[in-house]
Amino acid sequence: MKTILVVDDSRSLRQMVAFCLTSAGYQVSEAADGVEALEITQGQQFDLILTDQNMPRMDGLAFIESLRTQTAYQKIPILMLTTESSDEMKAKGRAAKATGWLVKPFDPEKLIAVVKKVIS
Amino acid sequence: MKTMDDRIESATVVLLSKLSDIIDSHLLEAVDDVCQTRLILNEAIIKLERSFYGIQDELAKQHRLAEATVNDAGQDRLTAHLHQAIIGLQFHDLTDQLLQRVNARFDGLREMLVVMDYKKTMVSGHDQAEDISISLRKADETLTALSVKLQLTLSKSLRQEHMGSGDVELF
């Protein structure tokens, strides 16, 4: 079973993403910010990371940049799921080596389709 | 007997201090209201989610029990409703972010009000007419700096004006 780490400071959002992905057959772990996510990724390998941008302690871009320095996570797909929709922020995401950018609110069907596409 | 300058200075000091106090007390009330709104919204969303996931679980159980009687069209309609509900429930994340921004802006404004309180920011060591002029100029500079800082901290990132699902872009 493919494993996905969902990183978001909103508990309700994490729960909804986890619900959709679990229903689609994925195993989901959760983290509330970049710092917690980095701690989790130290001890576990995931097949995909789905992260928010604006979070306390460490935001999504800083988290991706840090994660990409780890050999185990250089090729793992990382999707941003955020309220941020500006071209400037998307460019920063691309520079940080994110795989894609999804703007909230997310549509469960589209989310699952994108996850399927990048995880394969 | 007080000169005209003395009277103007005295009135300005009273006005700025009073204005600062009045606005600060109203902003404090507004902060309280926003916090209360967040608490209520948070509790409401927890209850809604619990019910939502409960309904979904029950539907899934019934669907498994009576698989033969539920047709594909019925299942598709259920899935469509479910997806729309998930999109709708995300209002909590969006509104919570906006409310946090509102409160952060109130805090910033309260910080600026301290600068406007002439009694607290008065410059000493000059004659009275010069004092008020220097203090006001300093207050103006500080207010501008605080406003710029607040604007930079709270640069608007959430531009959603409806609950339609957002764009998807793969790099």
Side-chain angles (χ1 to χ4, degrees):
Chain A
M1 189 183 270
K2 299 276 189 185
T3 54
I4 299 174
L5 176 64
V6 177
V7 192
D8 200 305
D9 57 332
S10 163
R11 182 202 51 83
S12 67
L13 206 286
R14 285 200 310 271
Q15 220 169 20
M16 274 181 268
V17 174
F19 173 78
C20 295
L21 296 175
T22 308
S23 305
Y26 298 104
Q27 190 179 319
V28 179
S29 296
E30 298 177 25
D33 57 46
V35 173
E36 191 185 349
L38 276 179
E39 282 167 10
I40 295 174
T41 53
Q42 300 290 331
Q44 198 181 339
Q45 179 72 35
F46 291 91
D47 297 296
L48 182 140
I49 312 275
L50 200 60
T51 180
D52 184 21
Q53 163 56 16
N54 299 313
M55 296 179 287
R57 300 204 293 172
M58 184 188 282
D59 67 27
L61 288 173
F63 166 57
I64 296 176
E65 281 164 3
S66 181
L67 199 62
R68 287 300 191 210
T69 62
Q70 296 180 31
T71 317
Y73 281 99
Q74 278 175 0
K75 302 282 181 194
I76 297 298
I78 305 177
L79 295 171
M80 290 287 286
L81 175 59
T82 172
T83 52
E84 300 269 5
S85 56
S86 69
D87 290 339
E88 188 191 348
M89 284 305 290
K90 287 181 186 174
K92 284 183 182 173
R94 198 179 285 120
K97 294 181 184 156
T99 312
W101 196 280
L102 289 82
V103 178
K104 294 176 183 173
F106 72 88
D107 179 326
E109 215 164 76
K110 285 186 195 169
L111 174 72
I112 292 165
V114 173
V115 166
K116 268 185 192 162
K117 188 171 180 179
V118 297
I119 215 166
S120 61
Chain B
M1 193 172 168
K2 281 188 169 181
T3 64
M4 180 66 90
D5 277 352
D6 289 341
R7 288 203 301 274
I8 290 173
E9 182 181 338
S10 172
T12 308
V13 169
V14 170
L15 176 69
L16 289 181
S17 296
K18 197 174 172 184
L19 186 68
S20 173
D21 286 347
I22 289 171
I23 298 175
D24 186 55
S25 69
H26 285 287
L27 280 177
L28 202 56
E29 290 284 338
V31 169
D32 274 353
D33 287 347
V34 172
C35 286
Q36 194 181 352
T37 307
R38 287 187 66 207
L39 285 175
I40 292 171
L41 266 179
N42 199 38
E43 196 178 326
I45 195 78
I46 288 170
K47 283 180 189 295
L48 273 174
E49 280 170 357
R50 209 172 285 150
S51 305
F52 171 75
Y53 295 124
I55 291 168
Q56 164 63 15
D57 280 349
E58 278 307 314
L59 281 173
K61 276 181 205 159
Q62 288 182 20
H63 179 60
R64 280 195 295 273
L65 286 173
E67 204 156 328
T69 61
V70 180
N71 57 32
D72 285 347
Q75 186 58 38
D76 287 349
R77 278 198 299 274
L78 276 177
T79 305
H81 284 305
L82 187 72
H83 286 181
Q84 284 306 311
I86 288 174
I87 295 172
L89 283 171
Q90 290 170 64
F91 85 91
H92 181 237
D93 181 42
L94 303 183
T95 52
D96 196 53
Q97 283 187 43
L98 289 170
L99 289 173
Q100 283 184 56
R101 277 172 51 86
V102 171
N103 258 356
R105 196 172 293 279
F106 284 156
D107 286 342
L109 287 173
R110 293 185 66 213
E111 202 181 332
M112 288 181 206
L113 284 173
V114 174
V115 178
M116 279 180 68
D117 191 336
Y118 183 74
K119 282 178 185 162
K120 291 177 191 159
T121 56
M122 190 165 66
V123 171
S124 58
H126 298 268
D127 64 61
Q128 285 189 332
E130 208 176 333
D131 273 358
I132 194 162
S133 155
I134 291 169
S135 290
L136 289 175
R137 207 177 318 121
K138 272 187 168 295
D140 179 45
E141 286 167 11
T142 312
L143 279 176
T144 305
L146 283 172
S147 179
V148 169
K149 185 182 144 201
L150 184 63
Q151 199 52 42
L152 285 173
T153 313
L154 293 175
S155 61
K156 196 167 176 70
S157 64
L158 202 157
R159 298 183 187 280
Q160 284 78 344
E161 289 180 348
H162 58 79
M163 286 301 295
S165 66
D167 294 338
V168 176
E169 191 177 332
L170 289 179
F171 301 142

